[in-house]
Amino acid sequence: MYITYVAWLGHIIIISLFVPLYFNLIPINSWYGIRTITTMSSVDIWFRVNHIGAKYFIFAAIVCLFFNAGLLYTFGKKGGDYLYWVAYTIYIIPLLLVLLSIKDN
């Protein structure tokens, strides 16, 4: 049961980390955001890629929250904890989409 709350907390943290990037509040830096040679080469590319990436990751986190809620509803307190890792694999999709958007620039 505790793993359910830890999983939810992880998704909420991901959402809160990507909201400033979605609203273009974070300038180019070397520690926060989607940092590649391409994104750090131009302010326009930085904001565009981080905005797109944040949108994808926030959407993935919301999907994961609903997935975890469905697991809790389906299995209750008795089990299903082993399936929560599946929700975190959903984050591979926005990561690939962001990498593709960087390649297009």
Side-chain angles (χ1 to χ4, degrees):
M1 184 70 178
Y2 292 111
I3 201 162
T4 304
Y5 299 119
V6 171
W8 285 349
L9 181 62
H11 302 310
I12 291 169
I13 288 171
I14 289 172
I15 291 170
S16 64
L17 286 174
F18 278 98
V19 165
L21 292 170
Y22 180 79
F23 289 109
N24 297 329
L25 299 175
I26 308 298
I28 294 177
N29 63 76
S30 60
W31 59 273
Y32 182 49
I34 299 169
R35 301 171 316 276
T36 65
I37 294 170
T38 306
T39 58
M40 296 183 78
S41 66
S42 166
V43 175
D44 294 332
I45 294 172
W46 170 267
F47 284 127
R48 186 170 59 233
V49 169
N50 278 287
H51 177 79
I52 291 169
K55 180 172 56 173
Y56 292 151
F57 274 96
I58 290 169
F59 179 74
I62 292 169
V63 168
C64 290
L65 283 170
F66 282 108
F67 180 79
N68 286 345
L71 287 176
L72 181 63
Y73 178 76
T74 302
F75 293 106
K77 295 180 182 180
K78 294 185 178 183
D81 288 347
Y82 61 93
L83 290 174
Y84 288 100
W85 68 270
V86 173
Y88 285 102
T89 61
I90 293 172
Y91 289 112
I92 293 171
I93 296 168
L95 180 62
L96 293 175
L97 291 172
V98 168
L99 291 175
L100 289 174
S101 72
I102 292 171
K103 186 177 178 183
D104 291 341
N105 292 323

